Each structure stands twice: as structure tokens, then as C-alpha cells.
Amino acid sequence: MKHMDDEWEKVVKQEPFAASPFTEEHKQNVLRQVAWLKSGSAQKMSDVGDKSAEQNTLPNQHRRRLRSRRAVIACTTIAAVAAAVILWNGQIVEPVIEKVYPTAALQYTDDAGMSLLTDKMKKNVAVTMRDYLGKQLRITKVQDLPVSGRVSVEAGKEGDAEYALIWLDAATGNLREVQMRREMAANELEHRYLRQIPSLLQGIGGDPALTPLSANRYVGMKQGELEPKSYTTLTLENKKSYGEIIWLQDEAISVSGDLDPDQVSQTALANAEDSIEAFSGKTAPDLTSIHRTKDDENGKDTFTFNFGDRYFVQTTEGKSGLSYSVMNAKYNRKELNTMEEMEAYHKELLEMKESILREKAAPIIKKIFNVDLQAYKLRRMPETLGIVSFELESTTDAFQIEYNEDARITMIKRDTL
């Protein structure tokens, strides 16, 4: 049985095992699998190889070498299949057999369109779902699209949490477009993501002990792109805070989480409290939470200070400049019961007099930003109902004002470079 042990050692030094440390727990799992190989089931497979060899009229020494080689081949096959059930750091690793024969894991319905799939198409579909979605979905429909020269492959149902729609070139079998999604429990997420969590949360000043709750994966590839892009979103929480991490492929591009007050600038916190007092006209409610989102994909770092159950201040620093917002996120909206009432409400917002908006917004802007709004020119924004912009000509300095039908200001946002 020395050959069996040798083959197992070779297997565990390969992917996906090599990506993680060889723990004592995993070692015991491997030993249990080796013990199974040494049991009657494994021995029977070896005996089959021996009997076949004995039937040949080869010299004894040659037969012994042949039996040895066949035993190694049998052990390698068993090891590859058994690798599918080995736990690696608490997770079931990807079956080795699927790495070698990805199409073996594909599942099909009895749709007549399946005959359209060539071997290359099947392989592209299997590898794409395995490598990017992390799971093989049952193929439910295959359709020829002759006008576009494409074959579409649909897996799952469009309204389901797990779904894939893949377009292949009808002539070459290559990928043309991909749309896939999957919802999963946190413990289904691959180890290469889970092991990043503590350091990513620490990097923004968050709580590294947050517990993963659930994950979502979206995979997309547009016409002309060379390969799919995979976005994986993980939500985390504990009794006192919340967080979220987004990966593009295997690289974290956005990390967010709640912070303790001592993790932020005390000057920024004091300014936020003063802004709420100026905005609401009364003492700021107690601070309920501070949330930070560091978005490397869009080059933005955002801090959100939440006060009470309705007010918040948000500061964003990014490539396009600075943004500072003060908002009342919970105010009584006018109740609209008919289409006529809705149309009248929209008309009130669109035709709100500039003089009234200036009268309401100018004192707040003066208190928070120490800026005289008189020098700024009004620009109406009909595409965003209830929002106007006051802009300073020849500069990028601008204020966005959100208001309701009574001209009560519900948000003030300043963007500057």
C-alpha cells in the first residue's frame, strides 16, 4: 500500500489543496480516506488489475512491474474520486474529477435543442459555470438564434435565485455573452474569499469578528469582452454592527462596515453634529452609528454618520472630488390617492418658485458651509423630481437641494473638486 500513500501525497500537493495550509484536521481526513482505500473495496479494484495481468504470458518479473503500475493507476483514480469528499478547512473541496472532465458534471433536461450543443459548447458552458459561478446548474433550454448566429443555453428558471443564460457562437462554439447569478449560504463561499474577511474589515477600522450571513454572485460578459466578470457580495453582521464586502473575481473592490466613534476623526464627528443642528433647527439627536464604505473600483471613500432614526451626514472623498450631504431620510410625504392628485403634486414640485427655495435653503447653507447662496445660479432638474441645483458659474462648486411640496428642505448636498 505504499504506492497508495504516495499517490495521496501527490494529490494533496496540487490545487485546490495547495492554496491552504495542511492542517492537522485535514491530515486526519486524508488518513481516513487512505484507510478506506486499504479496505476491501479498494483491494477488489487492485485484484481486478492483478488478475488481468496474470492472464498474460509475460515473464514473472515483467508481470510484477505491470501489476505495480496498474495498482498505481487504480489508486490514482480512486484518489481523484475520493478527493471530492475530503473536508478542507471545513469545506468540501472541488472534485478533482471535475477539473479533468468538466462536462461530466453537466445536467440536462430532455429538451430537443440539446442536440445543438457540440462538445466544445458543452465544455465552454461547463467550465464557465464551474469557474465563475462555482456551481453547475441544470440546463433547461437550448435554442438556435440563426439571425445572430448564436446558440443560447439557459440553466434554471429566470425568476430563480440560481440562473444562467449563456450565448455561444454557433460556428465556433466560443462564448459570446454571459449572464449568471447565484445566491448561497455564507459557508458555501470559497475559502479564498472567507480567509480575507478579518484583514479587509480591519483595513477600514471595522469589526473583524463580524459573522458572514449570506452571499450573492453575479457573472456577466458583454459582446466583445474576452472573459466573464464575476462579482461576489458577502453580507456580515453581529449584535451591534453590519458589514459588506464585494469582490471582482478574487480581488476585493468594496469593503464596508460600522465603526466605533474612536475610529473616526473627532473633528468630522463634531462637524456632523453641527450640521444636523443647522439642518433641523434643534439639538442633534444621539449618534446611532457610523458606517464606512471604501470603494476601490470607483475610487470613493464614504463615511455616514447616523443620528436618531431620521438624520444622517455623509462625506465622500473620491477621484471626482469631495461631496458632503445632510439629509432627513424620514419625513411625512403627502398622501396621494388618485392620478389627479399625483399630477398636481408633481406640478407643485416642478413649479416651485426660486425665491421660496432660496429663502428656505440659504440660511442652512450659510450655517453649515459658510457660503452665500446669492452668487449661485438655479438650474432645474426635471428628470429628478423635487431636486434643483444651485451652481457657481465657471467653477465645479454646486449644491443640490431636495424639497417637498411645502418647500421644506429634506436634503442639501455639496459637490466640489
Side-chain angles (χ1 to χ4, degrees):
M1 287 300 169
K2 181 177 185 301
H3 293 297
M4 289 187 178
D5 295 346
D6 291 345
E7 288 305 315
W8 267 109
E9 185 176 352
K10 292 178 183 178
V11 171
V12 298
K13 287 182 178 179
Q14 299 172 357
E15 292 292 344
F17 307 103
S20 301
F22 192 87
T23 64
E24 181 62 29
E25 179 184 1
H26 178 66
K27 179 180 178 182
Q28 295 305 317
N29 285 326
V30 172
L31 292 176
R32 282 194 290 272
Q33 293 300 322
V34 172
W36 176 82
L37 290 173
K38 293 179 181 179
S39 67
S41 298
Q43 187 62 46
K44 287 179 183 178
M45 292 191 69
S46 296
D47 291 343
V48 171
D50 289 346
K51 289 178 181 178
S52 299
E54 288 171 358
Q55 291 173 358
N56 295 326
T57 57
L58 297 174
N60 289 339
Q61 185 177 2
H62 195 172
R63 286 205 303 270
R64 284 196 296 271
R65 288 199 300 268
L66 183 59
R67 285 199 301 269
S68 176
R69 285 197 298 271
R70 288 183 177 179
V72 170
I73 293 172
C75 297
T76 304
T77 302
I78 297 170
V81 176
V85 298
I86 294 178
L87 287 177
W88 185 258
N89 285 357
Q91 288 187 296
I92 297 178
V93 301
E94 179 183 354
V96 175
I97 193 68
E98 190 180 333
K99 281 183 167 290
V100 183
Y101 304 108
T103 56
L106 279 180
Q107 297 178 341
Y108 306 92
T109 64
D110 56 359
D111 187 277
M114 298 298 170
S115 60
L116 295 170
L117 294 180
T118 64
D119 288 342
K120 183 176 181 179
M121 289 178 176
K122 292 176 183 178
K123 183 177 180 180
N124 278 340
V125 170
V127 170
T128 301
M129 285 199 288
R130 182 198 67 189
D131 291 354
Y132 293 95
L133 199 61
K135 184 178 183 179
Q136 302 286 0
L137 304 181
R138 180 184 292 274
I139 296 177
T140 54
K141 184 178 181 181
V142 177
Q143 187 177 7
D144 187 10
L145 304 174
V147 175
S148 61
R150 294 184 297 178
V151 172
S152 72
V153 179
E154 192 170 16
K157 296 181 181 179
E158 190 171 358
D160 292 348
E162 297 183 342
Y163 177 74
L165 184 59
I166 300 174
W167 290 270
L168 302 153
D169 188 286
T172 65
N174 295 331
L175 293 178
R176 292 277 292 271
E177 294 186 52
V178 173
Q179 291 181 23
M180 301 190 294
R181 65 175 179 270
R182 179 188 176 192
E183 295 180 7
M184 64 188 90
N187 59 5
E188 294 182 82
L189 198 61
E190 295 86 347
H191 179 66
R192 65 180 183 272
Y193 297 105
L194 295 175
R195 67 186 177 190
Q196 300 178 43
I197 294 173
S199 60
L200 289 173
L201 292 173
Q202 281 181 322
I204 64 166
D207 184 356
L210 287 179
T211 301
L213 288 182
S214 62
N216 289 275
R217 181 164 291 157
Y218 171 78
V219 182
M221 174 182 169
K222 297 179 181 179
Q223 178 69 37
E225 293 180 341
L226 298 179
E227 62 180 21
K229 292 182 180 178
S230 172
Y231 289 88
T232 302
T233 302
L234 176 67
T235 58
L236 313 98
E237 73 173 16
N238 57 24
K239 291 182 179 180
K240 65 176 184 177
S241 60
Y242 167 87
E244 182 180 86
I245 302 174
I246 302 175
W247 287 270
L248 172 57
Q249 314 298 65
D250 295 344
E251 181 181 358
I253 58 172
S254 177
V255 183
S256 67
D258 292 337
L259 311 182
D260 291 330
D262 57 5
Q263 293 288 327
V264 301
S265 164
Q266 296 306 297
T267 300
L269 178 55
N271 288 340
E273 291 175 341
D274 292 342
S275 296
I276 295 299
E277 291 183 5
F279 185 77
S280 65
K282 51 190 176 184
T283 303
D286 291 337
L287 179 71
T288 54
S289 66
I290 304 172
H291 196 81
R292 181 185 183 187
T293 299
K294 192 171 186 298
D295 185 343
D296 292 333
E297 183 177 39
N298 296 310
K300 294 181 178 181
D301 195 1
T302 301
F303 289 83
T304 304
F305 301 87
N306 294 283
F307 296 88
D309 63 349
R310 69 172 63 222
Y311 296 106
F312 71 82
V313 173
Q314 189 172 85
T315 65
T316 299
E317 183 176 357
K319 298 175 183 177
S320 58
L322 301 174
S323 175
Y324 191 95
S325 304
V326 187
M327 178 177 285
N328 177 359
K330 186 179 179 182
Y331 61 90
N332 296 326
R333 296 180 181 273
K334 187 175 183 178
E335 186 175 345
L336 304 173
N337 298 313
T338 66
M339 183 62 68
E340 290 75 14
E341 289 179 348
M342 182 176 293
E343 291 176 354
Y345 174 70
H346 289 178
K347 185 177 180 181
E348 282 183 290
L349 294 177
L350 290 172
E351 297 180 357
M352 184 70 63
K353 292 183 178 179
E354 178 179 347
S355 58
I356 296 177
L357 291 173
R358 285 186 180 276
E359 178 185 350
K360 297 287 187 177
I364 303 175
I365 291 175
K366 182 65 175 179
K367 288 181 180 179
I368 297 176
F369 303 101
N370 195 27
V371 169
D372 188 351
L373 195 60
Q374 190 63 38
Y376 290 72
K377 184 178 180 179
L378 175 71
R379 182 170 71 89
R380 296 191 182 272
M381 305 169 67
E383 69 281 3
T384 52
L385 196 64
I387 298 179
V388 296
S389 177
F390 286 94
E391 301 175 357
L392 191 61
E393 293 183 338
S394 303
T395 74
T396 56
D397 191 7
F399 291 95
Q400 278 191 10
I401 310 297
E402 185 181 52
Y403 58 95
N404 63 13
E405 74 282 0
D406 297 327
R408 188 185 315 150
I409 306 300
T410 56
M411 182 199 73
I412 294 178
K413 176 183 178 183
R414 186 186 192 187
D415 293 317
T416 59
L417 278 180

